[in-house]
Amino acid sequence: MAGGSAPGASLVDRTVQVLLAFGPDHRRLRLADLAQRCGLPAPTALRIVRRLVAAGFLERRDGGEYVVGRRVWDLGLLAPVQTDLRDVAAPFLQDLQAATRATVHLAERDGDRVLYLDRLAGVDAVPVVSRVGGRLPLHTTGVGKVLLAHAPAEVQQRVLAGLTRVTAYSITSPAVLARQLAQVRRDGFASTHGEMDLANASVAVPVRGADGQVVAALGLVVASLRRDRPRLVAALSVAAAGLSRELRG
């Protein structure tokens, strides 16, 4: 249960409980599940859910399940860190997309997942599973590996202890991934080959903030890295260095 509603809790308290019932392991919830996780009577949960759906904070799918609505993401973008980062990064992403013609990603770590803050579609028809506001596993994406390599030790330990397989090429061995993360820190970039989608590859580099810590990652998704990896890493590194300078102000 996400947390029971205390006796005499206000409507605001109960509404917050409903929203907090959603999480990485509870992305879709039926009304009965929502009510149970919040400790609310079903009629009360239904009244709150209907208000949230009307306001765009929740969406009701055809199967009767509820999911977090786009309005939550829109509000999240107003947070100063994300707003400033996306605004500052925009020209660098545009230049990077023009230079490489690949799909460009700007991402940050959100707990044990990678959160995509922005994406510019590439010219070539390469399948891309990411979406702005979406979250994917850290260990199966280029930007995710960069962020995981520079994450606190407890985050790395937690992720390595629960590696999941998305494709046949996903890294599920903690020892192998740990070696890859060490290489990311040493080489300054991360890459994947069919680990999130069999039909693409990715490469990414870190973006550092004013204090020198990694605050985000810039990545590219392409069909293959066999021939162009040095060129793509160079383009990413130039863009990330420029963005890092802007963030340092």
Side-chain angles (χ1 to χ4, degrees), residues 215-244:
V215 296
L218 276 180
L220 297 171
V221 178
V222 294
S224 173
L225 292 173
R226 287 191 182 94
R227 292 179 299 176
D228 290 341
R229 186 169 68 176
R231 178 180 69 86
L232 297 176
V233 170
L236 280 166
S237 299
V238 169
L243 177 53
S244 295

PDB file of all heavy atoms in Angstrom, residues 215-244:
ATOM      1  N   VAL A 215      25.229  16.243 -14.395  1.00  0.00           N
ATOM      2  CA  VAL A 215      23.829  16.593 -14.154  1.00  0.00           C
ATOM      3  C   VAL A 215      22.898  16.051 -15.228  1.00  0.00           C
ATOM      4  O   VAL A 215      21.678  16.016 -15.053  1.00  0.00           O
ATOM      5  CB  VAL A 215      23.644  18.121 -14.050  1.00  0.00           C
ATOM      6  CG1 VAL A 215      24.401  18.668 -12.845  1.00  0.00           C
ATOM      7  CG2 VAL A 215      24.093  18.814 -15.331  1.00  0.00           C
ATOM      8  N   ALA A 216      23.469  15.648 -16.366  1.00  0.00           N
ATOM      9  CA  ALA A 216      22.646  15.167 -17.475  1.00  0.00           C
ATOM     10  C   ALA A 216      23.537  14.398 -18.440  1.00  0.00           C
ATOM     11  O   ALA A 216      24.743  14.270 -18.233  1.00  0.00           O
ATOM     12  CB  ALA A 216      21.971  16.333 -18.190  1.00  0.00           C
ATOM     13  N   ALA A 217      22.913  13.888 -19.483  1.00  0.00           N
ATOM     14  CA  ALA A 217      23.651  13.188 -20.534  1.00  0.00           C
ATOM     15  C   ALA A 217      23.091  13.590 -21.886  1.00  0.00           C
ATOM     16  O   ALA A 217      21.886  13.810 -22.033  1.00  0.00           O
ATOM     17  CB  ALA A 217      23.554  11.674 -20.354  1.00  0.00           C
ATOM     18  N   LEU A 218      23.974  13.697 -22.860  1.00  0.00           N
ATOM     19  CA  LEU A 218      23.599  13.927 -24.251  1.00  0.00           C
ATOM     20  C   LEU A 218      23.830  12.629 -25.010  1.00  0.00           C
ATOM     21  O   LEU A 218      24.882  12.001 -24.857  1.00  0.00           O
ATOM     22  CB  LEU A 218      24.456  15.022 -24.877  1.00  0.00           C
ATOM     23  CG  LEU A 218      24.056  16.481 -24.678  1.00  0.00           C
ATOM     24  CD1 LEU A 218      25.066  17.375 -25.397  1.00  0.00           C
ATOM     25  CD2 LEU A 218      22.661  16.748 -25.191  1.00  0.00           C
ATOM     26  N   GLY A 219      22.861  12.226 -25.820  1.00  0.00           N
ATOM     27  CA  GLY A 219      23.009  10.969 -26.535  1.00  0.00           C
ATOM     28  C   GLY A 219      22.501  11.037 -27.958  1.00  0.00           C
ATOM     29  O   GLY A 219      21.718  11.919 -28.321  1.00  0.00           O
ATOM     30  N   LEU A 220      22.962  10.077 -28.767  1.00  0.00           N
ATOM     31  CA  LEU A 220      22.524   9.926 -30.151  1.00  0.00           C
ATOM     32  C   LEU A 220      22.070   8.496 -30.365  1.00  0.00           C
ATOM     33  O   LEU A 220      22.671   7.564 -29.823  1.00  0.00           O
ATOM     34  CB  LEU A 220      23.667  10.232 -31.115  1.00  0.00           C
ATOM     35  CG  LEU A 220      24.240  11.653 -31.105  1.00  0.00           C
ATOM     36  CD1 LEU A 220      25.492  11.705 -31.967  1.00  0.00           C
ATOM     37  CD2 LEU A 220      23.204  12.648 -31.611  1.00  0.00           C
ATOM     38  N   VAL A 221      21.019   8.325 -31.150  1.00  0.00           N
ATOM     39  CA  VAL A 221      20.550   6.990 -31.534  1.00  0.00           C
ATOM     40  C   VAL A 221      20.712   6.852 -33.042  1.00  0.00           C
ATOM     41  O   VAL A 221      20.237   7.698 -33.811  1.00  0.00           O
ATOM     42  CB  VAL A 221      19.080   6.772 -31.136  1.00  0.00           C
ATOM     43  CG1 VAL A 221      18.603   5.398 -31.592  1.00  0.00           C
ATOM     44  CG2 VAL A 221      18.916   6.906 -29.629  1.00  0.00           C
ATOM     45  N   VAL A 222      21.386   5.788 -33.467  1.00  0.00           N
ATOM     46  CA  VAL A 222      21.667   5.551 -34.879  1.00  0.00           C
ATOM     47  C   VAL A 222      21.428   4.081 -35.192  1.00  0.00           C
ATOM     48  O   VAL A 222      21.192   3.264 -34.301  1.00  0.00           O
ATOM     49  CB  VAL A 222      23.125   5.930 -35.221  1.00  0.00           C
ATOM     50  CG1 VAL A 222      23.340   7.430 -35.063  1.00  0.00           C
ATOM     51  CG2 VAL A 222      24.103   5.165 -34.335  1.00  0.00           C
ATOM     52  N   ALA A 223      21.512   3.747 -36.468  1.00  0.00           N
ATOM     53  CA  ALA A 223      21.318   2.348 -36.866  1.00  0.00           C
ATOM     54  C   ALA A 223      22.497   1.487 -36.454  1.00  0.00           C
ATOM     55  O   ALA A 223      22.332   0.324 -36.072  1.00  0.00           O
ATOM     56  CB  ALA A 223      21.101   2.262 -38.373  1.00  0.00           C
ATOM     57  N   SER A 224      23.717   2.055 -36.510  1.00  0.00           N
ATOM     58  CA  SER A 224      24.919   1.285 -36.188  1.00  0.00           C
ATOM     59  C   SER A 224      26.048   2.231 -35.815  1.00  0.00           C
ATOM     60  O   SER A 224      26.099   3.381 -36.280  1.00  0.00           O
ATOM     61  CB  SER A 224      25.334   0.427 -37.388  1.00  0.00           C
ATOM     62  OG  SER A 224      26.579  -0.200 -37.154  1.00  0.00           O
ATOM     63  N   LEU A 225      26.964   1.740 -34.985  1.00  0.00           N
ATOM     64  CA  LEU A 225      28.145   2.513 -34.594  1.00  0.00           C
ATOM     65  C   LEU A 225      29.419   1.956 -35.213  1.00  0.00           C
ATOM     66  O   LEU A 225      30.519   2.401 -34.883  1.00  0.00           O
ATOM     67  CB  LEU A 225      28.290   2.505 -33.063  1.00  0.00           C
ATOM     68  CG  LEU A 225      27.228   3.255 -32.263  1.00  0.00           C
ATOM     69  CD1 LEU A 225      27.409   3.001 -30.774  1.00  0.00           C
ATOM     70  CD2 LEU A 225      27.279   4.754 -32.553  1.00  0.00           C
ATOM     71  N   ARG A 226      29.307   1.022 -36.109  1.00  0.00           N
ATOM     72  CA  ARG A 226      30.485   0.326 -36.636  1.00  0.00           C
ATOM     73  C   ARG A 226      31.495   1.274 -37.272  1.00  0.00           C
ATOM     74  O   ARG A 226      32.696   1.144 -37.069  1.00  0.00           O
ATOM     75  CB  ARG A 226      30.066  -0.735 -37.653  1.00  0.00           C
ATOM     76  CG  ARG A 226      29.403  -1.955 -37.038  1.00  0.00           C
ATOM     77  CD  ARG A 226      29.269  -3.077 -38.056  1.00  0.00           C
ATOM     78  NE  ARG A 226      28.598  -4.237 -37.488  1.00  0.00           N
ATOM     79  CZ  ARG A 226      27.294  -4.454 -37.585  1.00  0.00           C
ATOM     80  NH1 ARG A 226      26.538  -3.590 -38.253  1.00  0.00           N
ATOM     81  NH2 ARG A 226      26.742  -5.519 -37.033  1.00  0.00           N
ATOM     82  N   ARG A 227      30.994   2.244 -38.043  1.00  0.00           N
ATOM     83  CA  ARG A 227      31.923   3.119 -38.762  1.00  0.00           C
ATOM     84  C   ARG A 227      32.012   4.521 -38.191  1.00  0.00           C
ATOM     85  O   ARG A 227      33.065   5.158 -38.264  1.00  0.00           O
ATOM     86  CB  ARG A 227      31.511   3.217 -40.241  1.00  0.00           C
ATOM     87  CG  ARG A 227      31.681   1.926 -41.020  1.00  0.00           C
ATOM     88  CD  ARG A 227      31.236   2.113 -42.461  1.00  0.00           C
ATOM     89  NE  ARG A 227      29.818   2.482 -42.541  1.00  0.00           N
ATOM     90  CZ  ARG A 227      29.201   2.772 -43.684  1.00  0.00           C
ATOM     91  NH1 ARG A 227      29.853   2.762 -44.822  1.00  0.00           N
ATOM     92  NH2 ARG A 227      27.899   3.080 -43.668  1.00  0.00           N
ATOM     93  N   ASP A 228      30.927   5.015 -37.620  1.00  0.00           N
ATOM     94  CA  ASP A 228      30.848   6.437 -37.276  1.00  0.00           C
ATOM     95  C   ASP A 228      31.040   6.757 -35.798  1.00  0.00           C
ATOM     96  O   ASP A 228      30.897   7.920 -35.415  1.00  0.00           O
ATOM     97  CB  ASP A 228      29.482   6.985 -37.717  1.00  0.00           C
ATOM     98  CG  ASP A 228      29.368   7.069 -39.230  1.00  0.00           C
ATOM     99  OD1 ASP A 228      30.415   7.063 -39.892  1.00  0.00           O
ATOM    100  OD2 ASP A 228      28.227   7.122 -39.729  1.00  0.00           O
ATOM    101  N   ARG A 229      31.352   5.786 -34.967  1.00  0.00           N
ATOM    102  CA  ARG A 229      31.414   6.083 -33.539  1.00  0.00           C
ATOM    103  C   ARG A 229      32.402   7.203 -33.192  1.00  0.00           C
ATOM    104  O   ARG A 229      32.038   8.116 -32.433  1.00  0.00           O
ATOM    105  CB  ARG A 229      31.728   4.828 -32.727  1.00  0.00           C
ATOM    106  CG  ARG A 229      31.649   5.092 -31.219  1.00  0.00           C
ATOM    107  CD  ARG A 229      31.698   3.816 -30.416  1.00  0.00           C
ATOM    108  NE  ARG A 229      33.006   3.162 -30.504  1.00  0.00           N
ATOM    109  CZ  ARG A 229      33.314   2.062 -29.828  1.00  0.00           C
ATOM    110  NH1 ARG A 229      32.423   1.497 -29.040  1.00  0.00           N
ATOM    111  NH2 ARG A 229      34.511   1.515 -29.953  1.00  0.00           N
ATOM    112  N   PRO A 230      33.631   7.207 -33.711  1.00  0.00           N
ATOM    113  CA  PRO A 230      34.545   8.309 -33.361  1.00  0.00           C
ATOM    114  C   PRO A 230      33.983   9.684 -33.737  1.00  0.00           C
ATOM    115  O   PRO A 230      34.100  10.640 -32.965  1.00  0.00           O
ATOM    116  CB  PRO A 230      35.809   7.980 -34.163  1.00  0.00           C
ATOM    117  CG  PRO A 230      35.753   6.500 -34.352  1.00  0.00           C
ATOM    118  CD  PRO A 230      34.302   6.181 -34.533  1.00  0.00           C
ATOM    119  N   ARG A 231      33.367   9.780 -34.921  1.00  0.00           N
ATOM    120  CA  ARG A 231      32.800  11.060 -35.358  1.00  0.00           C
ATOM    121  C   ARG A 231      31.644  11.481 -34.457  1.00  0.00           C
ATOM    122  O   ARG A 231      31.534  12.655 -34.078  1.00  0.00           O
ATOM    123  CB  ARG A 231      32.335  10.947 -36.806  1.00  0.00           C
ATOM    124  CG  ARG A 231      31.674  12.215 -37.337  1.00  0.00           C
ATOM    125  CD  ARG A 231      31.241  12.032 -38.780  1.00  0.00           C
ATOM    126  NE  ARG A 231      30.138  11.087 -38.907  1.00  0.00           N
ATOM    127  CZ  ARG A 231      28.859  11.408 -38.787  1.00  0.00           C
ATOM    128  NH1 ARG A 231      28.508  12.656 -38.506  1.00  0.00           N
ATOM    129  NH2 ARG A 231      27.916  10.488 -38.945  1.00  0.00           N
ATOM    130  N   LEU A 232      30.791  10.524 -34.086  1.00  0.00           N
ATOM    131  CA  LEU A 232      29.642  10.847 -33.249  1.00  0.00           C
ATOM    132  C   LEU A 232      30.076  11.225 -31.836  1.00  0.00           C
ATOM    133  O   LEU A 232      29.522  12.153 -31.238  1.00  0.00           O
ATOM    134  CB  LEU A 232      28.675   9.662 -33.216  1.00  0.00           C
ATOM    135  CG  LEU A 232      28.045   9.284 -34.560  1.00  0.00           C
ATOM    136  CD1 LEU A 232      27.176   8.032 -34.407  1.00  0.00           C
ATOM    137  CD2 LEU A 232      27.241  10.433 -35.130  1.00  0.00           C
ATOM    138  N   VAL A 233      31.063  10.518 -31.300  1.00  0.00           N
ATOM    139  CA  VAL A 233      31.575  10.854 -29.964  1.00  0.00           C
ATOM    140  C   VAL A 233      32.178  12.248 -29.975  1.00  0.00           C
ATOM    141  O   VAL A 233      31.982  13.038 -29.034  1.00  0.00           O
ATOM    142  CB  VAL A 233      32.608   9.812 -29.499  1.00  0.00           C
ATOM    143  CG1 VAL A 233      33.308  10.286 -28.221  1.00  0.00           C
ATOM    144  CG2 VAL A 233      31.943   8.467 -29.254  1.00  0.00           C
ATOM    145  N   ALA A 234      32.908  12.579 -31.039  1.00  0.00           N
ATOM    146  CA  ALA A 234      33.507  13.912 -31.138  1.00  0.00           C
ATOM    147  C   ALA A 234      32.424  14.995 -31.173  1.00  0.00           C
ATOM    148  O   ALA A 234      32.531  16.019 -30.488  1.00  0.00           O
ATOM    149  CB  ALA A 234      34.385  13.995 -32.379  1.00  0.00           C
ATOM    150  N   ALA A 235      31.379  14.773 -31.965  1.00  0.00           N
ATOM    151  CA  ALA A 235      30.291  15.749 -32.049  1.00  0.00           C
ATOM    152  C   ALA A 235      29.588  15.904 -30.704  1.00  0.00           C
ATOM    153  O   ALA A 235      29.270  17.020 -30.267  1.00  0.00           O
ATOM    154  CB  ALA A 235      29.298  15.333 -33.130  1.00  0.00           C
ATOM    155  N   LEU A 236      29.333  14.787 -30.035  1.00  0.00           N
ATOM    156  CA  LEU A 236      28.707  14.824 -28.717  1.00  0.00           C
ATOM    157  C   LEU A 236      29.582  15.557 -27.707  1.00  0.00           C
ATOM    158  O   LEU A 236      29.091  16.360 -26.902  1.00  0.00           O
ATOM    159  CB  LEU A 236      28.432  13.407 -28.222  1.00  0.00           C
ATOM    160  CG  LEU A 236      27.195  12.703 -28.756  1.00  0.00           C
ATOM    161  CD1 LEU A 236      27.265  11.207 -28.449  1.00  0.00           C
ATOM    162  CD2 LEU A 236      25.924  13.295 -28.147  1.00  0.00           C
ATOM    163  N   SER A 237      30.861  15.286 -27.740  1.00  0.00           N
ATOM    164  CA  SER A 237      31.781  15.890 -26.774  1.00  0.00           C
ATOM    165  C   SER A 237      31.845  17.400 -26.932  1.00  0.00           C
ATOM    166  O   SER A 237      31.878  18.143 -25.943  1.00  0.00           O
ATOM    167  CB  SER A 237      33.181  15.276 -26.930  1.00  0.00           C
ATOM    168  OG  SER A 237      33.155  13.887 -26.675  1.00  0.00           O
ATOM    169  N   VAL A 238      31.842  17.864 -28.176  1.00  0.00           N
ATOM    170  CA  VAL A 238      31.858  19.310 -28.424  1.00  0.00           C
ATOM    171  C   VAL A 238      30.573  19.948 -27.889  1.00  0.00           C
ATOM    172  O   VAL A 238      30.606  20.988 -27.216  1.00  0.00           O
ATOM    173  CB  VAL A 238      32.013  19.597 -29.928  1.00  0.00           C
ATOM    174  CG1 VAL A 238      31.769  21.081 -30.219  1.00  0.00           C
ATOM    175  CG2 VAL A 238      33.398  19.193 -30.406  1.00  0.00           C
ATOM    176  N   ALA A 239      29.428  19.312 -28.180  1.00  0.00           N
ATOM    177  CA  ALA A 239      28.154  19.850 -27.712  1.00  0.00           C
ATOM    178  C   ALA A 239      28.072  19.834 -26.192  1.00  0.00           C
ATOM    179  O   ALA A 239      27.615  20.810 -25.572  1.00  0.00           O
ATOM    180  CB  ALA A 239      26.999  19.048 -28.311  1.00  0.00           C
ATOM    181  N   ALA A 240      28.491  18.736 -25.573  1.00  0.00           N
ATOM    182  CA  ALA A 240      28.433  18.629 -24.112  1.00  0.00           C
ATOM    183  C   ALA A 240      29.361  19.633 -23.444  1.00  0.00           C
ATOM    184  O   ALA A 240      29.011  20.220 -22.403  1.00  0.00           O
ATOM    185  CB  ALA A 240      28.789  17.210 -23.688  1.00  0.00           C
ATOM    186  N   ALA A 241      30.546  19.862 -24.028  1.00  0.00           N
ATOM    187  CA  ALA A 241      31.469  20.842 -23.458  1.00  0.00           C
ATOM    188  C   ALA A 241      30.876  22.246 -23.521  1.00  0.00           C
ATOM    189  O   ALA A 241      30.969  23.025 -22.565  1.00  0.00           O
ATOM    190  CB  ALA A 241      32.801  20.789 -24.200  1.00  0.00           C
ATOM    191  N   GLY A 242      30.247  22.570 -24.656  1.00  0.00           N
ATOM    192  CA  GLY A 242      29.614  23.877 -24.776  1.00  0.00           C
ATOM    193  C   GLY A 242      28.462  24.047 -23.805  1.00  0.00           C
ATOM    194  O   GLY A 242      28.318  25.099 -23.171  1.00  0.00           O
ATOM    195  N   LEU A 243      27.651  23.010 -23.672  1.00  0.00           N
ATOM    196  CA  LEU A 243      26.522  23.073 -22.742  1.00  0.00           C
ATOM    197  C   LEU A 243      27.023  23.187 -21.299  1.00  0.00           C
ATOM    198  O   LEU A 243      26.468  23.955 -20.502  1.00  0.00           O
ATOM    199  CB  LEU A 243      25.647  21.830 -22.906  1.00  0.00           C
ATOM    200  CG  LEU A 243      24.456  21.685 -21.966  1.00  0.00           C
ATOM    201  CD1 LEU A 243      23.582  22.923 -21.977  1.00  0.00           C
ATOM    202  CD2 LEU A 243      23.629  20.456 -22.352  1.00  0.00           C
ATOM    203  N   SER A 244      28.058  22.444 -20.979  1.00  0.00           N
ATOM    204  CA  SER A 244      28.610  22.512 -19.619  1.00  0.00           C
ATOM    205  C   SER A 244      29.137  23.911 -19.309  1.00  0.00           C
ATOM    206  O   SER A 244      28.962  24.424 -18.197  1.00  0.00           O
ATOM    207  CB  SER A 244      29.743  21.487 -19.454  1.00  0.00           C
ATOM    208  OG  SER A 244      29.233  20.162 -19.558  1.00  0.00           O
TER     209      SER A 244
END
